[in-house]
Amino acid sequence: MAQNFKILIVEDEEIIRFGLQDNFEMENYEVETACDGEEAIAKSDSFLPHLVLLDLMIPKKSGFEVCRYIRNKHPECYIIMLTAKTEETSKVAGLEMGADDYVTKPFSILELLARVKAFRRRIEPQNNNSAGTVPDVLEFADLRVDVKKFEATKNGVPLEMTTREFQILKYFWSRRGEVIEREDLLKDIWGYTDENMPSTRTVDNHIANLRKKIEGDIADPKIIISVRGAGYKFDV
């Protein structure tokens, strides 16, 4: 299943870097590594990974700079930040710069493998019967969103959106008009389970960033509507 799925591991601590590489290669992923920001940027262009595991505290260029570069140059690439437990502001900043998710050190390698496998399943070719329920191009309000090409415009002006934001819009479209709980998003988009469910702030941060891009007035959203005590509703 995982063959030919490419992962770039960006981590300056050798033990962690080689440990991650060994574990993912044992699962038949194709892996490259980088120990600093400059090498990470170069390998993102030459290796063209599907997914990047990105430590924020790396030399030469910071993880934030690498994240911003990859998001702009390779918008379809999925970025998981590796952060320390105390770096709450760094997590938020990373998500705002385009990271799709984060894992807090020390982390469980089994959980990380499960998260990557969940993402892998979501981007595989549309092999199941339900996949055809969402068109490649979504048009609503003043937006045009191509969920296959990862391109979006608002009133004809290009929008910079992350892979995760495209996934969220595609998911909302498939369940438009329904009340969608945060736990639904964490399970179906992030790949979490009941056993490792994180804080719902993960969802709220992404929704806040997405609203800034697609809503006319973020103080009075008309597309992604909050349902008090429940979650969200996609109203198009």
Side-chain angles (χ1 to χ4, degrees):
M1 171 183 168
Q3 196 169 10
N4 298 323
F5 184 87
K6 299 193 287 187
I7 297 176
L8 174 62
I9 298 169
V10 184
E11 169 62 65
D12 63 327
E13 292 188 44
E14 187 175 74
I15 293 176
I16 297 176
R17 187 170 67 250
F18 288 153
L20 288 172
Q21 182 177 9
D22 286 345
N23 275 278
F24 280 105
E25 286 182 341
M26 281 175 21
E27 295 290 325
N28 295 320
Y29 290 94
E30 187 176 347
V31 179
E32 286 280 352
T33 65
C35 61
D36 61 59
E38 291 181 356
E39 186 180 16
I41 286 174
K43 287 195 173 180
S44 73
D45 289 336
S46 60
F47 183 52
L48 297 177
H50 297 94
L51 182 145
V52 177
L53 296 177
L54 176 61
D55 185 33
L56 291 182
M57 306 302 291
I58 51 177
K60 296 190 177 179
K61 287 186 181 293
S62 72
F64 295 113
E65 292 176 279
V66 174
C67 180
R68 188 185 301 113
Y69 177 87
I70 293 175
R71 179 54 62 227
N72 290 334
K73 188 76 178 291
H74 309 289
E76 73 287 350
C77 184
Y78 193 81
I79 302 172
I80 298 179
M81 299 181 300
L82 306 178
T83 70
K85 187 172 290 187
T86 57
E87 295 174 342
E88 185 66 29
T89 56
S90 296
K91 296 171 187 174
V92 175
L95 293 173
E96 289 178 346
M97 287 185 184
D100 298 289
D101 202 356
Y102 65 83
V103 173
T104 301
K105 297 179 179 178
F107 50 81
S108 160
I109 188 63
L110 293 178
E111 178 185 342
L112 184 57
L113 285 166
R115 301 263 285 276
V116 172
K117 286 178 180 178
F119 169 68
R120 165 71 182 199
R121 287 194 296 270
R122 289 196 298 274
I123 70 163
E124 282 189 331
Q126 313 278 327
N127 291 328
N128 56 64
N129 294 331
S130 62
T133 59
V134 179
D136 290 339
V137 178
L138 314 178
E139 294 186 281
F140 53 95
D142 51 5
L143 293 143
R144 184 179 189 278
V145 181
D146 190 321
V147 295
K148 190 173 183 179
K149 295 181 179 178
F150 296 98
E151 296 174 351
T153 59
K154 181 179 175 65
N155 288 320
V157 178
L159 289 175
E160 289 188 9
M161 286 176 44
T162 68
T163 305
R164 178 73 79 197
E165 289 165 349
F166 280 105
Q167 291 173 340
I168 291 171
L169 282 179
K170 185 175 181 180
Y171 185 77
F172 274 141
W173 182 275
S174 71
R175 296 186 57 182
R176 55 195 182 278
E178 299 179 34
V179 174
I180 299 172
E181 297 182 6
R182 291 173 176 83
E183 288 75 14
D184 292 339
L185 290 163
L186 287 168
K187 290 178 181 178
D188 296 338
I189 299 295
W190 273 264
Y192 286 103
T193 65
D194 290 330
E195 288 71 32
N196 64 4
M197 193 68 67
S199 162
T200 56
R201 288 188 61 186
T202 300
V203 172
D204 293 340
N205 287 336
H206 277 84
I207 296 298
N209 288 333
L210 185 55
R211 279 175 168 161
K212 291 176 185 177
K213 299 174 184 180
I214 69 172
E215 296 280 3
D217 179 4
I218 60 173
D220 184 25
K222 303 296 186 184
I223 299 171
I224 301 176
I225 300 171
S226 295
V227 180
R228 187 179 297 275
Y232 300 99
K233 184 166 71 170
F234 189 63
D235 188 6
V236 288

